[in-house]
Amino acid sequence: MTDTLPPDGPSDAIAAVAVVAQAIRAEVAKGVVGQAETIDHLLIALMARGHVLLEGPPGTAKTFLAQCFAATLGLDFGRIQFTPDLMPGDILGSNLFNFQTSQFTLTQGPIFCDLLLADEINRTPPKTQAALLEAMQERRVTLDGAAHKLPPHFTVVATQNPIESQGVYPLPEAQLDRFLFKVLVDYPSAEEERRIVARYGENRGAPTPAEVGIAAIVSPAQLEAATRAVGAVKLADSVTDYIVRLVRATRESPDLSSGASPRAAVLLAGAARARAALDGRDYVVPDDVKALATSVLRHRLLLSPAAEIEGKQVEALVRQLVEQTEAPR
């Protein structure tokens, strides 16, 4: 018997995670048509305490999806529309002098929330993008030498438009590496688009989660319990070795000038644990790793000049490495 199989069935806590996840999917579906894969990535990121970068053309409901997801979980939602003139203080806040009390008072920026939508994050210069680094890594903000903690489930969902290349600032590698996933949001299928038009064709203005009947169905205690349950999911030594070999293979590929870091391996393991829990399992199987490898690695890899000339794609190379790396049985 392989060591990737558990000796016993899933615990009650893991079973509860799967039930909660299914309820969240159904609630979000009241407002968002399709995008099941994107919703699953958001759920996995939340359980694994990671952040998500959504890349897709305008009008594919990236912003509305983030709003519905936050509303379903009862999270404090914040939104920042990134623009070229946005400054770090506009995100973090600042200490302002109060003449009545003769003291400085902290005015919190929009980053002080549970789920932050960083809309069109690549439209602001790297100086402002870097204001998110500490918050995403350590879930705290430092202002004038004083550290201010962010909520324990603080999550950044950033969006960017891949079509336009003028007036944008590509995210630095250090910024990209903070995101657990980069998810490509494509246009809906013909049937999904028909349902979207039938549902919202008569609306005037953008809908809100409340207008489509979305309500908070998960309490903070349930969310915390689900996160703890994910941490107890078993990761067999053979699966750990598989993750390490897969990540190290990206550094040895001649088609890649820069491979994934050890942080990528750690995040991939955590995401695989969360995926297993959402599926009702208290153990990770190689298919969990395979299913998430592209989303975890695509934004961490750089093509070599020769591969770019040949027109190779990062996603195809990741799939090739997954096929070539022997998985435990």
Side-chain angles (χ1 to χ4, degrees):
M1 179 182 291
T2 175
D3 61 355
T4 60
L5 295 177
D8 303 306
S11 65
D12 292 340
I14 294 295
V17 173
V19 172
V20 167
Q22 189 55 39
I24 291 172
R25 294 186 186 102
E27 193 71 12
V28 174
K30 292 180 180 179
V32 179
V33 177
Q35 298 201 30
E37 183 179 358
T38 305
I39 295 170
D40 280 350
H41 276 80
L42 289 174
L43 277 168
I44 293 170
L46 181 71
M47 300 299 176
R49 299 184 185 273
H51 310 284
V52 182
L53 176 62
L54 302 179
E55 180 176 286
T60 49
K62 299 185 295 296
T63 298
F64 187 50
L65 173 59
Q67 291 174 332
C68 292
F69 186 72
T72 300
L73 296 164
L75 298 178
D76 181 20
F77 180 78
R79 176 180 177 177
I80 302 175
Q81 187 67 46
F82 281 77
T83 57
D85 60 346
L86 196 71
M87 298 298 290
D90 298 328
I91 298 174
L92 305 179
S94 59
N95 285 309
L96 300 178
F97 187 76
N98 188 326
F99 287 96
Q100 293 180 342
T101 61
S102 298
Q103 294 180 339
F104 283 94
T105 303
L106 173 64
T107 301
Q108 295 184 346
I111 199 171
F112 288 88
C113 63
D114 292 311
L115 192 148
L116 176 67
L117 175 63
D119 214 358
E120 295 188 287
I121 190 173
N122 57 336
R123 286 198 175 278
T124 200
K127 175 183 179 180
T128 304
Q129 293 173 4
L132 293 174
L133 287 175
E134 181 185 16
M136 294 174 69
Q137 183 65 26
E138 302 177 29
R139 285 179 168 78
R140 72 179 186 186
V141 171
T142 302
L143 293 171
D144 295 337
H148 305 273
K149 289 186 177 182
L150 294 172
H153 292 287
F154 173 74
T155 302
V156 174
V157 177
T159 69
Q160 63 179 15
N161 176 1
I163 298 176
E164 296 175 313
S165 58
Q166 294 184 345
V168 297
Y169 304 83
L171 271 67
E173 298 305 316
Q175 183 83 31
L176 285 171
D177 201 39
R178 296 302 196 279
F179 287 99
L180 170 58
F181 295 132
K182 179 181 177 181
V183 181
L184 303 184
V185 182
D186 203 356
Y187 290 112
S189 65
E191 173 58 25
E192 289 173 342
E193 193 161 2
R194 188 196 68 79
R195 289 164 54 196
I196 292 171
V197 174
R199 182 180 297 183
Y200 297 112
E202 298 180 358
N203 284 1
R204 296 181 180 179
T208 65
E211 290 174 348
V212 297
I214 291 180
I217 60 172
V218 179
S219 68
Q222 287 176 307
L223 187 57
E224 183 61 33
T227 304
R228 288 198 306 269
V230 168
V233 172
K234 303 177 184 69
L235 185 66
D237 291 342
S238 59
V239 179
T240 300
D241 292 341
Y242 174 55
I243 293 173
V244 172
R245 285 188 283 110
L246 177 59
V247 170
R248 291 182 69 86
T250 65
R251 303 173 208 158
E252 300 166 359
S253 172
D255 292 321
L256 297 171
S257 62
S258 177
S261 67
R263 176 189 287 162
V266 172
L267 293 178
L268 180 54
R273 276 192 166 104
R275 185 179 188 271
L278 293 177
D279 199 34
R281 287 179 281 108
D282 61 356
Y283 60 97
V284 176
V285 296
D287 283 348
D288 293 321
V289 179
K290 294 178 181 180
L292 300 175
T294 300
S295 299
V296 172
L297 297 177
R298 62 159 51 104
H299 55 295
R300 294 180 163 88
L301 307 179
L302 294 178
L303 291 172
S304 66
E308 287 187 354
I309 293 175
E310 295 174 9
K312 294 185 177 181
Q313 300 293 324
V314 168
E315 286 82 1
L317 290 175
V318 173
R319 289 193 294 268
Q320 182 180 348
L321 291 175
V322 169
E323 293 174 359
Q324 294 175 349
T325 304
E326 184 179 358
R329 296 182 180 275

